[in-house]
Amino acid sequence: MRLLHTADWQIGMRAKHVGPRAERVRAERLAAARRAIDAANGQAVDFVLVAGDTFEDNAVDRVLVQQVADVLAGFAGPVYLIPGNHDPAEAGSVWDHPAWAAHANLHVLARPEPVDVPGGVLYPCPLHAKHSMDDPTRWIDATGEARIAIGLAHGHLEGIPQDQPEHPIARDAATRAGLDYLALGHWHSFKQMDTRTVYSGTHEPTGFGERDSGNVLVVEIDRRGATPRIEPIHTGGLEWLSWQESIREAGELAQVRQRIEKIVDHERTLLEIVLSGVFPAADRGELARIEELVAARFVAGRVDATALRLAPEDGAWAEALGAGPLREAARRLAEWADPDFAGPRPEGATPEVAQRARLELFALLDEGPQ
Amino acid sequence: MILRAIQVEGWRRFADPVTVGPLAPGVNVLFGLNGAGKSTLVEAIVRGLLDNHLTTGDPAEALRPWGRDLAPRVTIEFEHEGHRYRVEKQFLVSPRSELCREEDGQFKRLAESRGADKQVREMLGAEPPSRGLSEVKHWGLAQVLWAPQGSLALPDLADTSVPAAVHAALDVQVSDRSTGPVHAKLSAAYHAIFTRKEGKRRTGANAPPLAGLETELSEKCRQRDALDAQLEMLDAERVQIETLGRRRDALAREEEKKKAELAEASRRAGEYKDLKSKCDVEKAKFEKAALQYGALKQTVDEIAKRREGLGEDQKALKRHEDAAPGRADELWRRDAALAEAKSRLDALGARRDERRKAIQEVELAARFVAQRKQRDDLDRLLARAEEAIGQRDEHAGRLAALAAPDAPRFREIQAAHARGERARQRLDAAGVRVVIEPERECEIEVTEGTPPGARPLRPGEPITFLGDPSLAFRLPGVGAFRASRPVDASIDSLRSELDEAEKQFLRLTEGLPTRDVAALKRLRDQADEAERDRRDAQSKLDGILGQWTVEKLRAERDEADDAASAILIERPDWADSPDEPTRLAGQIEQARAAVEAVESELHAARDARDQEAASRNDAQRAHEQHDREMQAIRERIAKTDRELAELTGDVDDANRKSDLDQLALTWNAAKAQSETAQRQLEQFDEDPAPRVQLLSDDLEKLRRERSEVEQELGVAQGSLKSLVAAAPYSALNPIVERIDRLQREIAAERLRHDAIRLLFQTVEQCRAEAVESVLAPVQCRATELFARIAGRRLGEVRLDDRSLAVERLAIDPVERPVELNELSGGENEQVHLAVRLALAEVLAQEQRQLVVLDDVLTATDPERLARIREILAEAGQRLQILVLTCDRDRFESVPSAKFFDLGEITARR
């Protein structure tokens, strides 16, 4: 038995952290879906399993439903889908759409009952609500089954840390139920919990900070009781990079800028840089340059410099002002920019505002007389 | 700016051109007598430097020399920021303005008309007046530098640009010149975001981009909320659909259960209905048998009852028939008693009539006696009255025979007589009266007077002669005599009064038997006596008659006589025996008593008759009642006979009893059947039919409810379909994404705004502190100057930072400050001079400035004025000072001062 295990396509996903490139990110998820089906056809699997959360929400545009159904219908064999917690089988759900019935190879499994699949039996665990504390796999009992038994579920496997676990699945669900393979969805990164219990992860990364996402799994099981062989196939289209940079010395901002410039595939890259530490006033131009590069070059980018401050000991530029109101103002702002400053502050003179005010003053001086 | 020269022409008292100059860069003293034109020159400087040359109207017209139609014209040469300028202005006639700058030793035109006006004003920081000529408040820096005539106190500068100019001038000293542009950019950046006055974020067309971002964010949030609401509705619809679905299924199950209950209840209801029907049939049979038995039993009982009643009636009839003869006898006796009572009543009636007739006779006699007595009484009264009438008429006739005037007329006669006598006496007294009592006989001839003519005089016969107004007579042999009274007009009136009195007397005594008043008096007295007698007779008559008259008495008397005569016609015998009526009249009481006795008996007899009549009627009614009762009994007997015949018919009593026994048996059998059916029916607790109806209703209700739920479900599904079709989640994506971006942009922009505001406010604060630190030396300089003028330290001069006004003099920390109004007039002008000079020194940091002092320091004593002269001489090293005074000596000793004698200049012209 060869099957393709995928999940969490999250079609119609919201991408508010990528600014005006959100449509591009959404379109990339559908493109990745096509690559997944291409992989299924290319790998000559017997069938495809989609382990929930095909859609981000049941209220997504119906055009997307039709598009996804058409993409899935492109597979030569049967495709089995279960509703997940983002698209549960409820009234008015995406699964009511006529597109599913229009394609003979698409099987939306909305009831927890065994289904014969090529080479074995499939035990689907559809979800009917966004929130639930029931184990969707509890009903499965394949211990007496002679054929290869595959479970298809969506939920949170016990033992993985999460604040509010939804749809919990017992850690030993596959063993207890007598399954040869439990295809899971919910977690966006590829994770093999044991030899038979596997999260495929999302086929396309959904945000910064995900590890090992953007894959589908080709699973091969020789016979009932045999250990599955799992092969991840990369289908992701976008690269989500997130850098945390601590600046301490003069010139380090220039180094960061140089690393950014070295990224070649910026047409497929989203970049987030969080800067912290202190920098000399003279490096302010590098900071501005970094911001420009990130904003202009990549699919989406963001520079968070709220934790980056002008070096407090760097007062040379202020000293150059000579005695007078401006130098006195620069001195006071430097005091207020220090979070540890214990003296009186005028209204609104938070360290962040004072820090920004210093930068503004520096910029005015740097521009020179005009 | 400093002045070099000024030329005026056609300007108030300067009809011809007058030039003052060249002025020294230091102290200049322009002196002249009052009216020489010193203040006119100051005015020309002001108009030439600050006013629009096109100004018209009364204030501009006032610039012309009085009575001349000239064009006021002023030309001023001055230096400003290292250049030499000349401005020429002509007002009212062919007005023009021209500003020239000296270049290469020649004045070349720089601007003209309004442009020239404006450029010169800007050099002094002055503002154009809205209309007419400028006032002090428009003078700009000159408000500080130029003191108008007699006024050293600074005007209110709070709302002018002067404090800012002073601060700016001071700021130059505390700021590095290289930071000026930085501050300007900061100010521009700040004011691009915040308003100048209130420091609030700008709105409207000049609002920073943040406002647009916030507006867009607000709109996007509104859109997001609307779509969130749609999503919530979608969730709510799903919940509703699930709820309705569960409800529909529950109702369907309930419906099936109800149907089963209804079938069972319907079966039991049919069984109950059959039993009930059987029960009703048996009951009907039972009731029919009971009715038949009851009817026959009732007939038997009725026959017995009728027979018993018939026996009773027959006995009663027998009793009535036996009592009938006694009742007839009783009626006869009552009739006899009644006849006897009536007879007695009739007899008493006859006796009463007799008695009544007797009393009529007595009463007639009494009336006759009374009438006759009345006639006699009236005859006597009439006799007395007629006697009194005769006496009265006799006295009246005597009175009439006297022909005396009545009393009022006699009083008028007496009055007329007296008036005539008084007039005569007064006339006699008014005329000439001569009484001659001759002693011998002689003759007298009256030639004028009365009696006229000659008449003899005899001894012992005095004679009186009268004359009016004169009396003239002659006594032959003796001589002629004339006596005259004084001419007096009252004689005529006295005579007229006398004539009048006499005429009235004659008229009043007309027809009287005499005109002798005494005789008339006697007649009058006799008449009064006759009148008294007549009145006495009348009083006597009135006493007799009282309210009556003689005629009425006579009529009354005749009536009584007629009445007596009429009775006599009825009883002529009484004419022959006049005592008989009197006797009869004396019996009237007895006759009345007899009539009353008979009346009493008659009343008793009438009562007895009525009682007998009532008894007889009672007997009659009892008799008739008895007859009616007998008749009724007879009729009842006949009726009972008929009823018995109907009740018995052809059946005899034995057969009837046999039938009754048979019916009793049938009734008992039907009763047993009915009770058996009833017991079977009572096996049911209640009639199942209502429960069947109830269950049917419930089932129908369930069906309706399920139908409604399905209808609601359909609606909810339709609504859900519409909501899903709108794809609110997908629609929400770009909005939420835009909101997130906007929020980040807004946060960044707000941080930038806050930073610029903090930076700007911090720099402003530092600047203000710096300015404050510099204003202090100005106060120190003014304090120092004032101390020098006064010759001792009087206190520290304190200025208001905003208006530059002198606030007070701080004498000492331990004493209270001295207000300006507490200073003397001289000290007041001295402290303001000190302030003006201190400020002028500040404003002259960049270039020398002109200070004008027009006729000031008039209250300053010579000692202090000497010190001021020294100060002015020192100030002249940094300032151009133009002093205008009428007393050259006051400033004579100012070192290096240049003096201009306006009188001489004018004369030289």
Side-chain angles (χ1 to χ4, degrees):
Chain A
M1 175 188 285
R2 278 174 68 82
L3 62 94
L4 188 139
H5 171 197
T6 184
D8 297 288
W9 285 9
Q10 314 278 147
I11 299 298
M13 184 189 77
R14 185 170 297 157
K16 64 182 183 181
H17 42 300
V18 298
R21 304 299 178 86
E23 278 304 326
R24 164 77 191 282
V25 169
R26 275 191 282 277
E28 199 63 43
R29 303 195 73 74
L30 202 57
R34 290 192 189 94
R35 287 193 288 275
I37 295 304
D38 289 347
N41 284 324
Q43 292 291 325
V45 298
D46 300 319
F47 55 91
V48 172
L49 297 179
V50 184
D53 284 358
T54 310
F55 297 93
E56 174 73 4
D57 193 275
N58 271 328
V60 296
D61 195 334
R62 265 36 190 171
V63 172
L64 291 176
V65 180
Q66 184 66 54
Q67 286 175 336
V68 169
D70 289 347
V71 167
L72 288 170
F75 176 58
V79 178
Y80 301 98
L81 306 98
I82 57 168
N85 65 315
H86 274 263
D87 51 5
E90 59 189 2
S93 73
V94 289
W95 310 114
D96 293 344
H97 197 277
W100 307 111
H103 297 294
N105 67 326
L106 304 185
H107 305 281
V108 176
L109 306 175
R111 287 198 298 273
E113 54 192 23
V115 176
D116 288 345
V117 295
V121 181
L122 178 65
Y123 292 86
C125 305
L127 299 184
H128 291 85
K130 287 185 177 177
H131 308 287
S132 173
M133 292 304 289
D134 291 337
D135 183 348
T137 65
R138 197 173 52 186
W139 72 277
I140 304 174
D141 183 5
T143 50
E145 178 59 52
R147 294 171 292 174
I148 295 172
I150 307 295
L152 181 60
H154 188 94
H156 178 81
L157 198 70
E158 287 178 354
I160 299 176
Q162 193 178 26
D163 291 342
Q164 291 181 317
E166 294 277 357
H167 306 287
I169 296 172
R171 186 82 176 188
D172 62 347
T175 307
R176 176 193 57 75
L179 295 171
D180 291 298
Y181 184 79
L182 177 55
L184 292 174
H186 194 52
W187 282 96
H188 289 188
S189 298
F190 165 50
K191 193 172 182 66
Q192 188 169 359
M193 307 308 295
D194 56 39
T195 55
R196 301 178 189 280
T197 307
V198 182
Y199 281 104
S200 66
T202 178
H203 68 315
E204 172 69 32
T206 59
F208 296 109
E210 285 180 356
R211 289 177 299 154
D212 214 1
S213 60
N215 303 296
V216 295
L217 305 178
V218 173
V219 182
E220 189 168 5
I221 306 171
D222 293 338
R223 62 184 179 283
R224 172 73 168 152
T227 300
R229 289 192 297 279
I230 300 165
E231 181 189 358
I233 296 175
H234 189 74
T235 52
L238 296 175
E239 186 85 12
W240 295 68
L241 298 178
S242 182
W243 295 352
Q244 312 286 327
E245 302 294 338
S246 179
I247 308 301
R248 296 292 172 204
E249 301 292 339
E252 286 187 348
L253 280 175
Q255 292 171 12
V256 172
R257 191 248 310 155
Q258 288 162 7
R259 283 176 58 203
I260 295 168
E261 287 172 340
K262 285 178 182 171
I263 297 173
V264 178
D265 198 6
H266 40 74
E267 287 298 321
R268 292 181 57 249
T269 303
L270 297 92
L271 180 59
E272 176 189 67
I273 302 176
V274 179
L275 296 171
S276 62
V278 294
F279 73 105
D283 279 5
R284 186 187 167 279
E286 287 294 347
L287 180 60
R289 182 65 186 139
I290 288 170
E291 288 172 337
E292 288 170 6
L293 276 173
V294 170
R297 186 170 285 181
F298 298 94
V299 174
R302 185 165 73 92
V303 178
D304 181 359
T306 51
L308 186 65
R309 297 189 294 118
L310 276 175
E313 67 279 7
D314 182 12
W317 58 277
E319 292 299 327
L321 287 170
L326 282 180
R327 190 167 74 179
E328 176 60 15
R331 187 191 66 74
R332 293 182 190 182
L333 289 172
E335 278 184 350
W336 300 333
D338 182 0
D340 297 328
F341 175 64
R345 294 172 183 272
E347 185 182 354
T350 62
E352 186 183 12
V353 173
Q355 162 68 12
R356 180 59 185 262
R358 288 186 79 206
L359 285 172
E360 293 292 336
L361 178 57
F362 180 79
L364 288 171
L365 293 169
D366 203 30
E367 289 170 10
Q370 292 174 0
Chain B
M1 170 192 281
I2 61 172
L3 296 184
R4 279 304 179 187
I6 176 170
Q7 184 183 60
V8 293
E9 179 180 353
W11 198 290
R12 292 192 190 271
R13 71 179 311 280
F14 301 121
D16 297 322
V18 170
T19 302
V20 177
L23 296 169
V27 180
N28 298 273
V29 178
L30 181 64
F31 63 92
L33 298 176
N34 290 335
K38 300 185 293 297
S39 295
T40 301
L41 276 177
V42 174
E43 180 191 48
I45 292 170
V46 171
R47 303 298 169 220
L49 293 176
L50 304 179
D51 274 297
N52 291 324
H53 68 285
L54 294 171
T55 303
T56 56
D58 290 345
E61 289 289 342
L63 299 179
R64 284 177 163 165
W66 188 83
R68 304 194 186 197
D69 194 16
L70 298 176
R73 182 177 176 183
V74 59
T75 303
I76 301 169
E77 288 182 23
F78 61 95
E79 289 180 14
H80 178 68
E81 293 184 346
H83 295 281
R84 190 158 183 161
Y85 294 88
R86 185 182 70 201
V87 62
E88 292 182 33
K89 286 187 184 177
Q90 181 164 309
F91 297 83
L92 297 173
V93 180
S94 301
R96 66 186 185 85
S97 175
E98 182 182 86
L99 175 66
C100 297
R101 186 165 62 190
E102 189 181 62
E103 295 174 5
D104 301 329
Q106 289 186 330
F107 281 113
K108 294 188 176 176
R109 196 156 51 177
L110 192 63
E112 59 185 4
S113 193
R114 293 178 190 273
D117 295 345
K118 184 182 175 189
Q119 277 200 27
V120 177
R121 262 199 307 270
E122 286 175 350
M123 291 175 189
L124 280 165
E127 301 165 4
S130 57
R131 57 179 302 176
L133 296 174
S134 63
E135 299 172 23
V136 174
K137 65 183 179 183
H138 302 120
W139 289 5
L141 295 178
Q143 292 177 80
V144 173
L145 298 172
W146 302 353
Q149 185 176 24
S151 176
L152 269 170
L154 284 168
D156 184 2
L157 302 173
D159 294 325
T160 70
S161 59
V162 177
V166 172
H167 286 162
L170 291 169
D171 196 20
V172 170
Q173 302 165 49
V174 297
S175 301
D176 188 314
R177 286 180 183 279
S178 63
T179 62
V182 173
H183 184 264
K185 283 191 288 182
L186 173 59
S187 179
Y190 175 80
H191 290 115
I193 301 168
F194 302 102
T195 59
R196 289 185 181 277
K197 284 189 175 177
E198 298 178 344
K200 292 184 177 175
R201 187 176 290 142
R202 288 183 179 279
T203 56
N206 297 323
L210 177 60
L213 293 175
E214 287 174 336
T215 304
E216 186 185 353
L217 176 63
S218 175
E219 173 60 20
K220 291 295 177 189
C221 286
R222 192 191 61 72
Q223 293 173 2
R224 179 197 60 192
D225 293 345
L227 286 167
D228 278 343
Q230 281 191 30
L231 282 171
E232 286 176 10
M233 282 172 61
L234 203 148
D235 285 342
E237 288 294 352
R238 283 193 180 116
V239 171
Q240 172 79 345
I241 286 168
E242 287 177 13
T243 306
L244 288 170
R246 283 196 293 273
R247 178 71 181 146
R248 179 194 56 192
D249 297 343
L251 286 169
R253 287 193 296 275
E254 184 74 9
E255 201 177 310
E256 288 306 315
K257 187 180 167 189
K258 225 33 126 178
K259 277 180 186 171
E261 286 180 22
L262 179 61
E264 173 61 15
S266 297
R267 187 190 62 74
R268 280 178 58 79
E271 193 178 334
Y272 181 87
K273 188 179 177 186
D274 293 344
L275 266 176
K276 185 81 169 53
S277 178
K278 183 181 176 186
C279 201
D280 291 345
V281 168
E282 292 303 328
K283 189 178 178 185
K285 285 181 184 173
F286 161 68
E287 286 173 351
K288 183 181 176 185
L291 281 172
Q292 286 174 339
Y293 175 83
L296 186 55
K297 181 71 169 68
Q298 188 178 6
T299 302
V300 170
D301 292 345
E302 284 292 320
I303 289 169
K305 187 179 172 185
R306 294 286 191 283
R307 282 176 179 161
E308 185 181 355
L310 185 62
E312 291 296 323
D313 284 344
Q314 286 169 342
K315 287 177 187 172
L317 182 61
K318 179 70 170 60
R319 282 195 303 273
H320 277 78
E321 285 172 348
D322 292 346
R327 290 189 180 279
D329 291 345
E330 175 66 16
L331 185 60
W332 181 82
R333 279 195 301 275
R334 290 294 174 195
D335 283 341
L338 179 60
E340 184 182 348
K342 284 181 178 175
S343 173
R344 176 172 167 71
L345 185 63
D346 292 343
L348 283 170
R351 205 163 80 201
R352 182 195 62 188
D353 293 343
E354 288 173 9
R355 294 277 173 87
R356 278 182 178 171
K357 194 174 177 182
I359 200 168
Q360 283 174 357
E361 178 74 5
V362 171
E363 285 174 348
L364 184 64
R367 198 160 59 244
F368 177 75
V369 169
Q371 291 295 339
R372 202 168 54 185
K373 181 177 180 297
Q374 186 180 7
R375 183 200 63 193
D376 294 345
D377 290 345
L378 287 171
D379 280 344
R380 284 191 293 274
L381 194 59
L382 276 169
R384 285 173 58 203
E386 283 168 355
E387 183 185 359
I389 288 168
Q391 290 173 353
R392 184 197 65 189
D393 292 347
E394 181 187 345
H395 294 310
R398 185 159 58 92
L399 180 60
L402 283 172
D406 58 16
R409 186 178 175 188
F410 179 67
R411 281 194 293 276
E412 287 182 34
I413 290 168
Q414 282 180 312
H417 181 258
R419 244 186 349 267
E421 284 304 308
R422 280 196 304 276
R424 194 185 317 281
Q425 286 169 5
R426 286 164 62 195
L427 194 60
D428 290 349
V432 180
R433 179 187 179 92
V434 175
V435 178
I436 298 174
E437 293 178 353
E439 291 176 353
R440 62 177 178 87
E441 286 189 0
C442 57
E443 194 174 73
I444 187 166
E445 182 184 0
V446 177
T447 57
E448 189 177 345
T450 56
R455 67 184 56 221
L457 297 176
R458 293 179 184 87
E461 291 182 9
I463 188 167
T464 300
F465 296 95
L466 296 173
D468 185 22
S470 59
L471 176 65
F473 58 89
R474 189 174 65 83
L475 290 174
V478 178
F481 297 85
R482 170 173 288 270
S484 301
R485 67 166 174 83
V487 178
D488 188 353
S490 64
I491 297 297
D492 294 337
S493 66
L494 287 172
R495 187 169 289 123
S496 173
E497 186 178 344
L498 176 62
D499 291 346
E500 182 64 26
E502 285 176 345
K503 283 178 186 171
Q504 188 180 14
F505 181 80
L506 290 173
R507 181 174 54 78
L508 287 170
T509 54
E510 183 73 34
L512 293 176
T514 178
R515 283 197 166 95
D516 181 10
V517 174
L520 285 172
K521 177 72 170 65
R522 283 190 298 276
L523 275 175
R524 185 60 250 163
D525 291 343
Q526 291 171 2
D528 287 343
E529 185 181 356
E531 177 61 24
R532 276 194 301 276
D533 292 344
R534 188 192 66 79
R535 279 204 294 271
D536 290 344
Q538 182 65 42
S539 296
K540 184 180 177 183
L541 177 61
D542 292 342
I544 292 167
L545 291 176
Q547 299 298 322
W548 294 72
T549 62
V550 173
E551 291 73 19
K552 194 172 179 183
L553 281 175
R554 283 195 184 116
E556 195 72 14
R557 182 263 172 203
D558 292 346
E559 189 177 342
D561 190 49
D562 290 347
S565 299
I567 292 170
L568 281 178
I569 293 170
E570 190 177 341
R571 294 299 300 272
D573 54 316
W574 286 352
D576 300 330
S577 51
D579 294 336
E580 182 60 17
T582 305
R583 186 188 62 79
L584 285 172
Q587 296 173 354
I588 189 165
E589 291 304 321
Q590 294 167 343
R592 283 176 179 162
V595 168
E596 285 175 5
V598 172
E599 287 284 353
S600 178
E601 285 181 45
L602 190 62
H603 185 70
R606 193 176 290 124
D607 289 345
R609 182 205 60 190
D610 293 344
Q611 193 172 359
E612 285 301 330
S615 298
R616 193 266 170 195
N617 288 340
D618 289 344
Q620 177 69 29
R621 279 195 296 276
H623 184 73
E624 290 170 358
Q625 177 66 19
H626 187 256
D627 287 349
R628 282 196 297 276
E629 285 175 359
M630 277 205 306
Q631 183 61 30
I633 291 167
R634 287 190 187 102
E635 288 172 356
R636 207 158 55 233
I637 289 170
K639 183 185 173 193
T640 304
D641 286 341
R642 287 194 300 277
E643 288 173 349
L644 275 172
E646 286 177 6
L647 286 169
T648 54
D650 299 333
V651 182
D652 60 15
D653 289 349
N655 286 333
R656 191 175 297 115
K657 185 171 185 315
S658 173
D659 291 345
L660 188 63
D661 292 344
Q662 183 59 41
L663 283 172
L665 288 174
T666 305
W667 180 26
N668 284 333
K671 184 179 179 186
Q673 289 290 333
S674 175
E675 285 173 352
T676 301
Q678 188 63 36
R679 275 196 299 277
Q680 287 176 338
L681 195 61
E682 284 171 359
Q683 297 295 315
F684 289 83
D685 293 336
E686 57 185 359
D687 183 357
R691 176 164 167 73
V692 168
Q693 184 59 47
L694 196 65
L695 286 169
S696 296
D697 293 345
D698 286 351
L699 187 59
E700 184 56 29
K701 191 177 170 188
L702 282 171
R703 282 174 180 153
R704 278 201 307 272
E705 197 174 345
R706 185 164 60 85
S707 173
E708 287 170 4
V709 168
E710 282 178 346
Q711 205 170 352
E712 280 184 51
L713 193 58
V715 171
Q717 283 169 338
S719 174
L720 180 68
K721 194 174 177 183
S722 300
L723 287 167
V724 165
Y729 189 87
S730 291
L732 196 55
N733 279 342
I735 293 167
V736 171
E737 287 155 6
R738 179 61 183 153
I739 285 172
D740 182 71
R741 190 177 167 200
L742 283 168
Q743 285 172 336
R744 277 190 278 116
E745 288 177 6
I746 285 169
E749 195 67 5
R750 280 182 181 158
L751 177 62
R752 191 176 76 84
H753 287 189
D754 291 345
I756 288 174
R757 174 156 54 194
L758 179 63
L759 176 59
F760 179 79
Q761 289 175 343
T762 305
V763 170
E764 284 297 300
Q765 177 66 26
C766 293
R767 278 167 53 85
E769 291 171 6
V771 169
E772 175 61 26
S773 68
V774 177
L775 192 60
V778 174
Q779 294 174 150
C780 286
R781 176 63 177 153
T783 303
E784 178 193 330
L785 289 172
F786 184 47
R788 282 186 62 191
I789 293 168
R792 58 190 172 90
R793 182 178 168 82
L794 285 178
E796 186 180 343
V797 177
R798 290 286 172 85
L799 301 182
D800 179 69
D801 178 48
R802 203 169 65 85
S803 68
L804 300 180
V806 181
E807 283 187 324
R808 62 187 186 278
L809 291 180
I811 298 294
D812 192 280
V814 298
E815 294 183 20
R816 72 171 179 83
V818 174
E819 301 299 330
L820 287 190
N821 58 13
E822 295 178 75
L823 296 175
S824 68
E827 285 176 334
N828 207 308
E829 64 182 12
Q830 289 152 21
V831 74
H832 283 114
L833 175 67
V835 171
R836 278 187 186 263
L837 289 176
L839 287 170
E841 287 176 7
V842 169
L843 293 171
Q845 290 293 326
E846 294 292 308
Q847 62 172 325
R848 190 179 281 262
Q849 295 285 4
L850 167 65
V851 173
V852 177
L853 302 172
D854 183 6
D855 204 12
V856 297
L857 301 170
T858 53
T860 298
D861 61 49
E863 190 178 348
R864 292 192 180 187
L865 189 62
R867 296 188 195 112
I868 288 172
R869 284 196 293 269
E870 290 175 11
I871 290 169
L872 290 178
E874 290 173 13
Q877 296 173 24
R878 299 179 298 279
L879 302 166
Q880 183 186 43
I881 299 174
L882 177 58
V883 177
L884 297 102
T885 179
C886 57
D887 186 0
R888 172 184 176 136
D889 295 342
R890 287 170 66 82
F891 297 92
E892 181 68 41
S893 59
V894 176
S896 70
K898 188 171 183 179
F899 288 86
F900 297 88
D901 184 348
L902 191 55
E904 185 186 337
I905 292 169
T906 308
R908 196 167 58 219
R909 174 192 64 199

